[in-house]
Amino acid sequence: MSNRVISINLKQTLTWGTLLCGLLLSSLIIYISYVSQRDMLLENYETKLRQNLTHLGKHLFTEFVEDNDNKISLTLEDYYSDSKYKALFLIQGETLVNETQHSVIGLQVFNQVISQAQATATLRTLDLTVAFDPNQQHFLAAIPISPKVPVVESANLVRLIAIYDVSTVFLSLRQQLITKASILAAFLILITIALLSFTHHFIHKPIKRLIQVGDALSTNSLSCRAKIIGYGEFAVLAKQFNVMAQTLEKNWQQQLQITQELQCHHALITSVFEALPDIFFIINTSGIILECHTGKSDDLYISPEHFINKKMTEVLPSHAAKQFSQAIKSANQCHQLTQIEYPLTIAEQAKLFEARLSPIPGTEQLVIAVRDITEKKRQEEVILHHAFYDTLTDLPNRFLAMERLSQQLLDAERNDELAVVFFIDLDDFKRINDSLGHEMGDQILLASGERLKQSLREQDTVSRLSGDEFIVLMGGFKHTEDITSVANMLIKLFHHPIIVGDKDFNISVSIGVAIYPLDANSPQALLSCADTAMYNAKSNGRNNYCLFNQKMSQQLSRRIEIEEALRVAMNENELEVFYQPQFYIEDSDVFGAEALLRWHSKTLGNVSPAEFIPVAEQSGLIIDIGLFVLSTAIKQARQWQQHLDSDIRIAINLSPRQFKDPSLLKQIELLVKDIPIANRFIELEITEGVLISGQAQVKQTLTQLHQLGFKLSLDDFGTGYSSLNYLRHYPFDLLKIDQSFISDMLTTHESKALVKTIIAMAHNLSMKVVAEGVETLEQLHLLQQLECDFGQGYLISKPLSAAQFETFYHTKIEPVKRSS
C-alpha cells in the first residue's frame, strides 16, 4: 500500500469547483424545468387545440349540413378572438371556402409558413391532425368536415385548417428562464463570494500562516509561531506546529549551547595540549595513528605529519615498537589503563619516555599520553638517594643502615657467625659547632665519615644516624676477641688529628658495641643495645669503647618498660601537670608558675621526669605529651585569670624534639585561639639543646613566636658552651640561671661572680632574669642585692597540683614577705 499523499490548491479547487458545480447543477435544473414546462404547455395546448377543433369540426359539420354559411363565418370569427390563432379557415382542395378577411389572411399565413410537403400532407389529412413546429413555434391542425363517415378522399372534401401560434408563450417561458438564470447567477455569485471569504479567512489564511512559519523554521527562525485560534483542524495543526517549533528551538538552543561548549572544550583541550609537556596520540585498535597533538615537537621521534595513518610500531625503533605492540594488545583486552616506559635517542640525546594507553569509552580507539620522564627519573634517583643516604656525608642513613643490618643478621644466622653494631659518637662535638660554627663542624663530620669508610672492608657499612652519631655494621666474626680488636682499631683511628683547611682537630670518639645474637636478636634492639653501651662509654670518661652487658640490659629493659607504659599513660590519664610558683625577688609576690609534668604510672608507680622525659624525647612521644602540657597549662592559666588574678602568668617548657615539629607554631596558635588568653601571659622555655640543631629554622620559629606576643625564655643558662652567642641571635625576653649556680653562689666566689655577671649582662640586653632553685633566705637576700628579677624554688613552694596552687596563692606567703 502506497503512503504517498497528493496535495492540491485547496482555495482554488474549492472556489472553482463549487462555482462550476453550482453552474452545472443550476443549468441542469433550469433546463429540466424549462423542458418540463415547455412539454407540459405543448401537451396542454395540443390537448386544448384538439378539443376545440373537434368541437368546432362537429359544429361546422352541422352548419354545413344545414348550409348555413353565415353561422360558419360567425363561428370562425368567434374563434379568432383567441389571438393565438394565426390562421383558421376552411378549404376545399386548394380553394378557400367562406372567404372572410380572417380566412384570407389565414390562408396567406398558411402559405407563407407551411412548407410545400407539410401543406400537401395537411390538405390530404382524413382525420384530425395536430402537429407542432418547433421552429415556427406553432401548431398546425387539420380536420376534414364531411357528412360521410368515415371520411373518404374526394375533391369536394372540405377541411378546417388552423395555425395556432404559441411563440408568445415560448417567449414568456424563455423570459422566465432568463429571470431564473439571472437570479441563480446572482445567488451563485453571492455563494462564491461567501465561499471565497470563508476559504480566505478560515482556510487560506491559516494555511498561509502555517506556510510562513514553515518557511521561517526552514531558515532557522525558530522563534516564529503560528497564532491560529479556534478548535478546528488548523488550530490543532498550528498548536502541534508550535510545539514542534518550540521543541526545535529548544533543541537548537541546546545544540548551540552544546556547540559552544564543544568549541570551548576544544579550545581548552587545544590549550591543554599546547601547555602540557605530553604528546598525545589517538589510535584505533589496530594501532594506526589517527591524531597527534603536542605543544612541544622537540620530544617527537619524527615530525607529527609522519605519524598520521601509520602504525605506532612502524615509526618507532624495534624495542619501543615491541613494547607498544604488547601495551596496545593489553589495553584492548583489559579495557583499562596500561603504562610502559621506553628509551629513545633524540638529537643524539638518550631520553626516557613514559606512555599511558587508555581506551576511549564508546569507541574503538585509544588515547596515548607520552611524556619525557628523563629529568623526572634523574630527580627520583636523587630523591631515592637522599632517602637512603645522608645529605652531608653521602653515607647510608638510618633507614638504609637498618635494612642492611636486617640482611646482615640473616647472613649471620645462616652462617652461624657473629654480627656487630658499633655505635660511634664524636666527643665534645657540640663545642666545635658552638665555637667554630656549623660549617666547620660539617667539614669535620665529612672527614670523620670518610676516615671510617676508608678503614673498613668493602662489605662493611658505615652510616651516619644524626648529628655526630655514626654506626658501623660488620659481620663474619667467630670470636668476641676479633670484635674488641676492631673496636680498639676504631678508637685509635681518631688518635690522629683531623685536618680541615690549615687547622688540626683532635677528635676522640666513644663507641658502644652490641653483638648478635649475644645481646639482641632484632636490628632495632641491637641498635638500642649499642646506643646504651655508647652512653656508658661516655660515662666512663669518653675516648673508649664499651661492650653491652647485663647491667646495661637491665637499664635498657627499664627504658623499654618506661616507653611502653608511657604510650598508654595519655589514654589512662596518668599524666598530670603540676605548677611551681614563680615570684618577684624584691617582695616575694607570686605572679605566676612554671608548668611541670608529673607521672604516676599504674604499673610503675611514680616515675621521675629525669627518667621518663629522655625516653619520651628519644621515642618521639614528647610531641603529644608536650601538646598535652601546653593545652592543660594554658587552660589552667585562663581559669586562674578569671578566679585568682587577671595578670597571672604561666611558663611552659618546649623540648628539643617538640620544637622541631613543623606543626608546633600552628598548634600553639590554635590553642590560644580556642582558649582566649593574651599571648603575653604565656612564657615558652627552651634549652640550649633546641638551639644546637637547625639554627635557621629555630631562629625563624622563635622570631614568629616573639612576633605573636609570647614571652621567650632560655632555660638552664650558663650550663652550655656558647650561651652568650645565643643571646645575640635570638629574641629572648628572660634568662633562667641554672640552680647549680644558685646553690653554689654562697659558697664559691666564682659562682657568685658568674650569677652577678649574668644578671648584669641580661639587664644590659633588656632581658629579665629568673633564678632557679631558690631554697634559702640567704640565697633570696643575695639575689635581692644582685637585683635579680624573679625566682622559683622550694623556699616559696615545691611544685603543686592545680588545686594546691590555688590554696597556696590565697595565703600570699606572708612569712617570706616579712623576713624579706
Side-chain angles (χ1 to χ4, degrees), residues 43-270:
E43 184 178 355
N44 290 338
Y45 277 113
E46 184 178 359
T47 302
K48 179 180 178 182
L49 188 58
R50 285 181 178 277
Q51 291 176 354
N52 290 340
L53 290 179
T54 300
H55 178 73
L56 180 59
K58 290 179 179 180
H59 183 72
L60 290 176
F61 179 75
T62 303
E63 295 296 333
F64 266 106
V65 173
E66 295 178 356
D67 197 21
N68 190 353
D69 295 335
N70 190 31
K71 286 188 177 182
I72 292 172
S73 298
L74 290 174
T75 300
L76 294 175
E77 289 295 331
D78 185 43
Y79 269 85
Y80 267 115
S81 60
D82 186 351
S83 61
K84 294 182 180 61
Y85 282 103
K86 297 301 180 181
L88 187 62
F89 57 89
L90 296 171
I91 190 169
Q92 186 174 20
E94 296 182 358
T95 303
L96 187 63
V97 179
N98 189 18
E99 293 185 9
T100 63
Q101 183 180 0
H102 288 96
S103 298
V104 173
I105 294 173
L107 181 59
Q108 291 176 350
V109 172
F110 179 79
N111 290 328
Q112 289 176 356
V113 300
I114 302 302
S115 63
Q116 185 64 40
Q118 192 176 9
T120 302
T122 300
L123 293 177
R124 290 181 179 178
T125 183
L126 297 176
D127 198 359
L128 177 60
T129 300
V130 178
F132 179 73
D133 186 353
N135 294 325
Q136 300 295 329
Q137 295 182 348
H138 59 229
F139 288 96
L140 176 62
I143 184 172
I145 299 174
S146 173
K148 295 180 180 180
V149 179
V151 179
V152 296
E153 179 67 33
S154 69
N156 296 324
L157 183 60
V158 177
R159 293 181 174 84
L160 177 60
I161 304 299
I163 297 176
Y164 194 80
D165 187 1
V166 292
S167 60
T168 56
V169 175
F170 272 73
L171 181 60
S172 175
L173 189 62
R174 281 196 297 272
Q175 288 176 347
Q176 291 180 6
L177 179 64
I178 293 171
T179 302
K180 290 179 180 180
S182 299
I183 295 173
L184 183 60
F187 179 74
L188 286 175
I189 291 172
L190 292 175
I191 290 294
T192 303
I193 293 173
L195 183 62
L196 287 174
S197 178
F198 177 83
T199 57
H200 175 74
H201 286 92
F202 299 107
I203 298 177
H204 179 65
K205 286 184 70 176
I207 292 176
K208 184 178 180 181
R209 183 56 182 161
L210 290 174
I211 293 173
Q212 290 174 346
V213 173
D215 290 339
L217 295 178
S218 66
T219 57
N220 292 332
S221 298
L222 301 179
S223 60
C224 187
R225 297 291 184 271
K227 297 180 180 179
I228 300 175
I229 59 175
Y231 303 96
E233 291 84 351
F234 287 117
V236 174
L237 183 60
K239 183 178 180 181
Q240 295 174 347
F241 222 63
N242 292 338
V243 171
M244 179 185 70
Q246 186 176 0
T247 303
L248 286 174
E249 184 178 18
K250 181 179 179 181
N251 293 340
W252 177 253
Q253 290 174 350
Q254 291 177 349
Q255 186 66 33
L256 286 178
Q257 184 177 359
I258 292 172
T259 301
Q260 292 175 352
E261 291 176 355
L262 288 175
Q263 290 174 347
C264 291
H265 289 165
H266 184 268
L268 176 62
I269 291 172
T270 302

Side-chain angles (χ1 to χ4, degrees), residues 214-486:
D215 290 339
L217 295 178
S218 66
T219 57
N220 292 332
S221 298
L222 301 179
S223 60
C224 187
R225 297 291 184 271
K227 297 180 180 179
I228 300 175
I229 59 175
Y231 303 96
E233 291 84 351
F234 287 117
V236 174
L237 183 60
K239 183 178 180 181
Q240 295 174 347
F241 222 63
N242 292 338
V243 171
M244 179 185 70
Q246 186 176 0
T247 303
L248 286 174
E249 184 178 18
K250 181 179 179 181
N251 293 340
W252 177 253
Q253 290 174 350
Q254 291 177 349
Q255 186 66 33
L256 286 178
Q257 184 177 359
I258 292 172
T259 301
Q260 292 175 352
E261 291 176 355
L262 288 175
Q263 290 174 347
C264 291
H265 289 165
H266 184 268
L268 176 62
I269 291 172
T270 302
S271 301
V272 169
F273 282 150
E274 292 177 353
L276 288 177
D278 297 344
I279 307 165
F280 294 90
F281 296 96
I282 306 295
I283 67 171
N284 59 21
T285 52
S286 300
I288 297 176
I289 301 172
L290 305 177
E291 298 181 34
C292 175
H293 302 278
T294 180
K296 186 181 179 183
S297 58
D298 296 342
D299 287 339
L300 285 176
Y301 186 68
I302 58 176
S303 58
E305 59 271 11
H306 291 98
F307 278 111
I308 307 302
N309 296 327
K310 292 184 179 179
K311 287 189 175 182
M312 186 70 77
T313 55
E314 295 177 353
V315 295
L316 293 175
S318 58
H319 67 278
K322 184 177 180 181
Q323 286 183 271
F324 264 102
S325 180
Q326 294 174 350
I328 293 171
K329 183 178 179 181
S330 176
N332 287 329
Q333 291 176 348
C334 302
H335 300 285
Q336 61 184 11
L337 180 67
T338 303
Q339 183 173 323
I340 59 172
E341 293 182 5
Y342 59 95
L344 285 179
T345 301
I346 298 177
E348 298 183 355
Q349 291 185 355
K351 293 188 176 184
L352 184 65
F353 290 88
E354 175 188 78
R356 297 189 176 190
L357 296 82
S358 178
I360 302 176
T363 68
E364 295 295 325
Q365 298 176 351
L366 289 87
V367 61
I368 303 177
V370 178
R371 175 172 292 187
D372 182 357
I373 59 171
T374 308
E375 188 61 30
K376 176 186 173 184
K377 279 295 181 181
R378 290 196 189 102
Q379 293 175 356
E380 287 179 353
E381 290 174 358
V382 171
I383 293 172
L384 191 63
H385 187 81
H386 287 171
F388 289 98
Y389 289 87
D390 178 57
T391 306
L392 176 63
T393 62
D394 204 33
L395 294 174
N397 59 14
R398 177 186 291 268
F399 186 80
L400 181 56
M402 296 306 290
E403 279 195 353
R404 290 187 178 180
L405 181 57
S406 298
Q407 184 60 45
Q408 201 167 58
L409 297 188
L410 292 175
D411 294 341
E413 181 181 11
R414 183 172 56 251
N415 300 325
D416 192 21
E417 296 175 341
L418 301 178
V420 186
V421 175
F422 297 93
F423 200 112
I424 304 172
D425 183 85
L426 304 185
D427 295 330
D428 294 332
F429 181 74
K430 186 167 85 62
R431 175 174 55 83
I432 297 174
N433 259 348
D434 293 341
S435 59
L436 301 178
H438 288 278
E439 185 176 353
M440 183 62 70
D442 290 345
Q443 294 299 318
I444 292 174
L445 290 174
L446 276 169
S448 301
E450 186 63 26
R451 182 171 290 188
L452 288 170
K453 188 176 179 181
Q454 293 296 331
S455 63
L456 299 175
R457 300 170 300 181
E458 186 177 351
Q459 65 266 31
D460 299 331
T461 297
V462 179
S463 169
R464 182 190 178 208
L465 294 187
S466 63
D468 59 344
E469 295 178 341
F470 296 85
I471 61 171
V472 174
L473 308 179
M474 300 181 70
F477 293 99
K478 294 292 184 180
H479 306 287
T480 56
E481 292 81 3
D482 299 331
I483 297 173
T484 57
S485 297
V486 173

Side-chain angles (χ1 to χ4, degrees), residues 579-585 587-592 771 773-777 779-780 784 790-800 805 808-809 811-817 819-820:
Y579 303 91
Q580 185 171 30
Q582 292 181 329
F583 57 90
Y584 292 104
I585 293 292
D587 56 10
S588 300
D589 267 348
V590 175
F591 63 85
V774 181
E775 298 180 351
T776 67
L777 285 173
Q779 292 173 349
L780 177 63
Q784 289 174 344
F790 313 120
Q792 71 181 80
Y794 277 36
L795 175 64
I796 297 297
S797 174
K798 65 178 181 180
L800 305 170
F805 181 88
F808 164 81
Y809 191 83
T811 65
K812 294 297 183 182
I813 55 170
E814 293 299 330
V816 175
K817 293 177 70 175
S819 65
S820 62

Side-chain angles (χ1 to χ4, degrees), residues 547-716:
L547 296 176
F548 186 79
N549 56 38
Q550 188 59 37
K551 183 180 178 181
M552 296 178 196
S553 178
Q554 292 174 356
Q555 294 173 351
L556 182 60
S557 297
R558 173 64 175 176
R559 178 181 171 185
I560 294 172
E561 190 178 27
I562 290 174
E563 182 177 343
E564 290 177 351
L566 197 58
R567 290 186 184 277
V568 299
M570 290 280 290
N571 296 331
E572 298 295 332
N573 296 320
E574 295 177 357
L575 298 176
E576 184 178 1
V577 179
F578 274 56
Y579 303 91
Q580 185 171 30
Q582 292 181 329
F583 57 90
Y584 292 104
I585 293 292
E586 182 179 1
D587 56 10
S588 300
D589 267 348
V590 175
F591 63 85
E594 180 182 5
L596 300 170
L597 187 63
R598 295 294 182 263
W599 178 26
H600 180 78
S601 171
K602 294 178 181 179
T603 58
L604 304 177
N606 288 326
V607 184
S608 169
E611 189 176 14
F612 74 79
I613 291 296
V615 176
E617 183 77 18
Q618 292 176 10
S619 64
L621 294 173
I622 195 66
I623 293 177
D624 291 335
I625 292 174
L627 184 61
F628 163 74
V629 174
L630 275 169
S631 176
T632 305
I634 293 174
K635 288 179 181 177
Q636 189 62 66
R638 175 59 178 168
Q639 292 178 8
W640 286 341
Q641 285 184 349
Q642 292 175 335
H643 301 103
L644 293 181
D645 188 340
S646 60
D647 291 331
I648 201 164
R649 293 189 293 181
I650 196 79
I652 306 168
N653 286 283
L654 297 179
S655 75
R657 184 74 172 266
Q658 185 182 6
F659 201 86
K660 293 177 182 179
D661 183 14
S663 62
L664 174 65
L665 186 63
K666 187 66 175 180
Q667 288 173 346
I668 295 176
E669 289 179 337
L670 291 175
L671 281 175
V672 296
K673 182 179 180 182
D674 295 337
I675 307 169
I677 185 172
N679 294 353
R680 69 178 184 276
F681 294 114
I682 300 174
E683 177 187 324
L684 302 176
E685 296 184 4
I686 64 171
T687 62
E688 286 189 46
V690 172
L691 304 179
I692 291 173
S693 58
Q695 186 175 5
Q697 181 264 339
V698 169
K699 184 175 182 180
Q700 181 181 5
T701 304
L702 287 174
T703 302
Q704 289 176 330
L705 289 171
H706 194 265
Q707 290 173 348
L708 290 172
F710 295 102
K711 299 297 182 181
L712 299 179
S713 174
L714 181 59
D715 198 9
D716 298 335

